[in-house]
Amino acid sequence: MRSFFSVSGGVQYTYMSDRFSMDLGVAAFHLNRPQQSLMNDPAQLLPVRYFAHSSFDYQTESDWIVNMNLAYQVQSNTRNLAAGASIGRNISLTEIPMIVNAGAWYRYADALYPFIGLQWDRVQIGLSYDINVSKQINGPVHPRSMEVSLIIKDILPDGGYIQCPWK
């Protein structure tokens, strides 16, 4: 493979209120269908990948937070649908928000991945475990993976940050 230039783009709509937020988005990747082969083979063009997602968050009056997500992508003849939900609890003892959450997502006909996480202010740490449920693997060993995530949210170029509606 060789280096190549790829053009991508997308849009996202976000709605936020005191207790509810919603994101809806679509994107397309490799719009220029770059050639990825060193052999200048015109059949070796990277196909366009289309992606759509939605996310819904709701915080109850008792500081429980429900999150639901859906993601769908298509590239060439491959389709992938993933959906899931998590529930979290605001356990803050000070003005700084602290949220513990757990949930599970399912990638259709492929994998189930449970998740646990902790968010403190703008930093979220998570742990997920990918359990393969695909019928395509018939061998004695089924691939699994564990992932640790670190997310730093809402940082702006001026050093400030966007206020979370649930603070």
Side-chain angles (χ1 to χ4, degrees):
M1 290 193 54
R2 65 178 184 171
S3 297
F4 55 86
F5 176 76
S6 178
V7 176
S8 303
V11 294
Q12 177 172 305
Y13 170 77
T14 300
Y15 171 81
M16 296 178 79
S17 68
D18 289 343
R19 298 203 174 272
F20 176 78
S21 72
M22 171 185 73
D23 293 315
L24 300 170
V26 294
F29 303 88
H30 315 302
L31 291 168
N32 59 327
R33 300 197 58 215
Q35 189 176 60
Q36 58 183 357
S37 170
L38 288 172
M39 305 297 186
N40 291 325
D41 180 357
Q44 293 294 317
L45 300 178
L46 194 55
V48 177
R49 179 167 56 104
Y50 300 98
F51 182 77
H53 73 92
S54 63
S55 176
F56 303 93
D57 288 306
Y58 177 74
Q59 183 180 14
T60 68
E61 291 185 23
S62 59
D63 286 335
W64 285 94
I65 301 162
V66 178
N67 171 269
M68 295 176 284
N69 303 98
L70 181 68
Y72 180 72
Q73 57 185 328
V74 176
Q75 185 173 27
S76 192
N77 293 327
T78 304
R79 287 164 172 56
N80 184 304
L81 174 67
S86 68
I87 189 163
R89 174 85 168 138
N90 187 342
I91 58 170
S92 303
L93 299 175
T94 66
E95 290 291 317
I96 299 173
M98 182 179 289
I99 300 167
V100 62
N101 51 39
W105 281 261
Y106 177 69
R107 206 167 35 247
Y108 181 72
D110 184 37
L112 173 69
Y113 41 109
F115 168 84
I116 58 171
L118 177 67
Q119 180 178 336
W120 183 71
D121 197 17
R122 296 177 287 150
V123 177
Q124 179 176 329
I125 298 172
L127 177 67
S128 65
Y129 185 69
D130 209 29
I131 303 166
N132 189 302
V133 296
S134 173
K135 302 257 189 268
Q136 296 176 357
I137 299 174
N138 295 322
V141 178
H142 293 273
R144 291 173 167 78
S145 70
M146 184 178 295
E147 296 180 14
V148 175
S149 59
L150 172 64
I151 301 169
I152 301 173
K153 296 182 174 188
D154 306 325
I155 296 178
L156 298 176
D158 65 1
Y161 62 94
I162 301 167
Q163 289 291 326
C164 173
W166 302 318
K167 285 189 180 181

